[in-house]
Amino acid sequence: DQQVKQNSPSLSVQEGRISILNCDYTNSMFDYFLWYKKYPAEGPTFLISISSIKDKNEDGRFTVFLNKSAKHLSLHIVPSQPGDSAVYFCAASVGNSGGSNYKLTFGKGTLLTVNP
Amino acid sequence: DADVTQTPRNRITKTGKRIMLECSQTKGHDRMYWYRQDPGLGLRLIYYSFDVKDINKGEISDGYSVSRQAQAKFSLSLESAIPNQTALYFCATATPGFETQYFGPGTRLLVL
């Protein structure tokens, strides 16, 4: 049973336009969400996160939106750049408060290609 | 220098062989994790350790074992490798109170 779903295996956008990557989850206990970026031959690197007490978090060109009622989050990249081309993983964890086990559950990833 | 290092970076082995993948970190983090990545399947947790005396199974621990030799070192062993263990393996670290995990560069393992 896949608890974190990234239903789009790939996404292609033009440089300068907005990239929107989507993620759905089924476990209502998840209360912290992260996006990781992965280039070929490298490990995933942390990009941005959001706690369930918020509905938006912004860091430069990257914004993550959380819709708890829909169990949906999205990553917006504006403007998209060719260097953003990578695989993006959505991840979620349970228990940001005391007693957390800090395990991350990952989605399958979305390959973003930004065309010049 | 990288904060999280993995050795070897690439390994080819034969079915039935025992192999060990090693992970070292200089971040001073207590928590360490081993994941595998397969095409189209994302990252799946094999084992994790919250300190030297604490080892826990992840979702796909069968066929694997781990050793936490020190705070900075966490090794993954395949006692008898099989072809479906061919994958990309990642080590990660984290510190209590923070969800963010920091990943090593990965080990590409091919089991023939």
Side-chain angles (χ1 to χ4, degrees), chain B residues 6-7 11 31 53 55 65-66 72 77 80 86 90 95 104 106:
Chain B
Q6 293 184 234
T7 55
R11 178 74 184 269
R31 302 180 180 212
K53 297 180 180 179
I55 303 289
S65 63
V66 291
S77 294
S80 179
T86 293
F90 290 104
T95 194

Side-chain angles (χ1 to χ4, degrees), chain A residues 86-101:
Chain A
V87 176
Y88 289 78
F89 290 102
C90 172
S93 70
V94 174
N96 199 26
S97 57
S100 165
N101 57 21

Side-chain angles (χ1 to χ4, degrees), chain A residues 6-48:
Chain A
Q6 294 178 255
N7 292 320
S8 298
S10 63
L11 174 68
S12 182
V13 300
Q14 286 298 122
E15 181 178 5
R17 306 294 290 268
I18 185 171
S19 295
I20 300 176
L21 295 96
N22 294 302
C23 179
D24 297 294
Y25 61 95
T26 58
N27 188 343
S28 58
M29 297 298 290
F30 286 144
D31 61 1
Y32 198 78
F33 304 88
L34 307 90
W35 284 94
Y36 280 82
K37 176 179 180 180
K38 185 183 179 304
Y39 292 118
E42 296 183 11
T45 56
F46 170 72
L47 189 58
I48 193 169

Side-chain angles (χ1 to χ4, degrees), chain B residues 1-5 23-29 32 71-73 93:
Chain B
D1 289 339
D3 295 319
V4 184
T5 58
C23 176
S24 295
Q25 53 114 347
T26 59
K27 299 185 77 67
H29 289 170
M32 299 188 74
Q71 185 205 39
K73 295 184 183 295
T93 73

Side-chain angles (χ1 to χ4, degrees), chain B residues 87-103:
Chain B
L88 194 52
Y89 290 84
F90 290 104
C91 173
T93 73
T95 194
F98 295 89
E99 305 282 356
T100 305
Q101 294 182 14
Y102 298 88
F103 285 80

Side-chain angles (χ1 to χ4, degrees), chain B residues 40-52:
Chain B
L41 290 180
L43 286 90
R44 294 182 292 167
L45 183 63
I46 306 172
Y47 269 96
Y48 60 104
S49 169
F50 284 174
D51 63 43
V52 175

